Amino acid sequence: MSVLHAGSYRLSLARPLVMGIVNVTPDSFSDGGRVGDAQASIRHAFKLQEEGADILDVGGESTRPGASAVPADEEMRRVLPVIEALAGRGCVVSVDTMKPEVMRAALDAGAVMVNDVMALRAPGAPEAVAASGAAVCLMHMQGEPQSMQQSPYYVDVVEEVKHFLQGRVVACEAAGINRERLVIDPGFGFGKALEHNLALLKQLDHLAELDVPILAGLSRKSMLGALTGRGVDQREFAGVAAHLAAIARGARLVRVHNVAAMRDALAIWNAVEEQQDGT
Ligand code: HH2
C-alpha cells in the first residue's frame, strides 16, 4: 500500500486522506484587518484539524478564474505566519503556491508539501523543492488563471491531462524529486468546461495508470453549481458526492473546504471498504 513522503512525515494512503483548505486571502474572511486575516486563518485551520483534516493546505493567492496575481512578498506576508503557527503545533502543512520564492520560504517555515497548480513549471520551482524532502502536488491547468475559462479546448481531455502529468512526473524525478513524494491532480475547473470535468471524473482511473497517488479538488467548484443550480456556499452535499465519485475511481486525497462533512462520508466509505466478505 502506498505511502506519501512529506518531509519527515510518512502518510499512509491505505485510506483516503483529507486536505483542508486554509485561505489567507483578504476576500476569504470578512472580519477586517490584515493581522486579523492571519489569526482568523489560524483559528479556522485548527478547527479543520480538529474535524479530522490530515493535511492543511495554506494559500495566499486565489487561483479562481479571473483572479488577479499577488506579488511574492505579499503572498509570503500572508502565508508564513499561518504556516509557522500550524507547523509549530504539529500539523502537516502544505503551501498552495506557484512561486519558487514562496515555496522556499514556506518550506523553511515548516511546510512539508507544495501544492502547485502550475505543476512546478515556473523557472526554478523544481530546484526550490528538490532538496527539501517535501511532497509535491502536480496539477494540470490549461492556460492561466486570468483567462483559462474563456475557451478551454481539448481533442481528448483525459489523454491530454494524463500526458501532461506524466511529463511533469518525469521532469520532477529528473530534478531529484522521488516518486514517493509526488501526487497528481487533474485540476478540475482549471481551463475545463463542464464536459471536460465530467470526463475527467468519470475516467479518473486512467490517471491511476501513472502509478502516482491522485488528488481531487472539487470543493465548491462551478461544475457543482452547473449541475445543482446551487450558489457557491450551498454546494457541500454536491461536493461530498463528487469527492466520493473521485475516490471510487482511485483518488487517494481530496482537497475540501468542509472537512467535517467529508470525514462523515469517509466514515461510511471506509467501513464499507473494510468490511470483510461473509461477515
Ligand atoms: N483548486 C483551487 C486551488 N488550489 N490545488 C489543487 N491541487 N487542486 C485544486 O483543484 C485546486 C488547488 C481553487 O482555487 P482557489 O481560488 O484558491 O479556491 P479555494 O482555495 O478556496 O479552493
Side-chain angles (χ1 to χ4, degrees):
M1 190 47 71
S2 64
V3 170
L4 179 64
H5 292 205
S8 60
Y9 292 96
R10 297 291 174 266
L11 305 175
S12 168
L13 298 167
R15 290 174 163 192
L17 297 184
V18 178
M19 173 186 266
I21 299 169
V22 181
N23 284 319
V24 203
T25 45
D27 46 340
S28 301
F29 294 96
S30 51
D31 59 353
R34 300 191 136 205
V35 176
D37 286 343
Q39 292 307 324
S41 298
I42 293 166
R43 275 198 304 277
H44 182 65
F46 284 138
K47 178 171 163 281
L48 298 184
Q49 175 85 354
E50 273 168 27
E51 289 174 354
D54 299 292
I55 302 169
L56 296 169
D57 188 37
V58 180
E61 177 179 38
S62 176
T63 45
R64 287 207 179 81
S68 49
V70 175
D73 55 350
E74 171 63 13
E75 197 181 329
M76 286 192 259
R77 213 193 46 71
R78 292 179 186 178
V79 298
L80 295 182
V82 179
I83 291 170
E84 272 167 23
L86 301 180
R89 290 272 292 267
C91 302
V92 180
V93 181
S94 160
V95 62
D96 185 352
T97 186
M98 310 182 240
K99 301 189 187 77
E101 56 268 60
V102 180
M103 293 173 193
R104 284 183 199 279
L107 294 170
D108 285 346
V112 293
M113 181 165 183
V114 171
N115 173 26
D116 182 5
V117 299
M118 289 272 294
L120 301 189
R121 281 179 293 156
E127 295 76 11
V129 289
S132 69
V136 181
C137 180
L138 302 167
M139 200 199 77
H140 175 273
M141 167 166 62
Q142 187 180 79
E144 307 282 327
Q146 286 76 15
S147 56
M148 63 189 178
Q149 288 306 103
Q150 280 164 15
S151 51
Y153 176 77
Y154 301 86
V155 175
D156 181 337
V157 66
V158 178
E159 271 312 310
E160 287 169 51
V161 167
K162 183 176 171 185
H163 181 74
F164 168 85
L165 291 173
Q166 184 164 28
R168 296 313 301 154
V169 169
V170 169
C172 284
E173 287 186 310
I177 307 170
N178 300 340
R179 195 166 270 257
E180 294 74 32
R181 295 166 57 189
L182 297 177
V183 171
I184 52 172
D185 178 346
F188 291 105
F190 283 83
K192 283 141 195 130
L194 177 60
E195 73 260 29
H196 303 135
N197 290 316
L198 286 173
L200 284 164
L201 186 49
K202 179 88 190 280
Q203 298 175 67
L204 201 63
D205 48 356
H206 284 236
L207 300 185
E209 291 164 14
L210 297 180
D211 205 22
V212 178
I214 300 169
L215 181 147
L218 291 141
S219 197
R220 298 186 182 168
K221 293 214 167 148
S222 64
M223 74 177 272
L224 307 180
L227 294 171
T228 60
R230 303 268 180 206
V232 72
D233 294 331
Q234 294 184 311
R235 297 175 185 165
E236 300 306 344
F237 303 135
V240 168
H243 286 118
L244 285 183
I247 290 167
R249 291 164 177 79
R252 300 314 289 166
L253 304 98
V254 288
R255 181 180 179 276
V256 303
H257 295 90
N258 191 329
V259 170
M262 197 65 227
R263 269 280 154 237
D264 277 5
L266 282 173
I268 310 306
W269 177 269
N270 291 331
V272 173
E273 287 297 299
E274 292 163 16
Q275 175 68 19
Q276 301 296 315
D277 290 346
T279 53

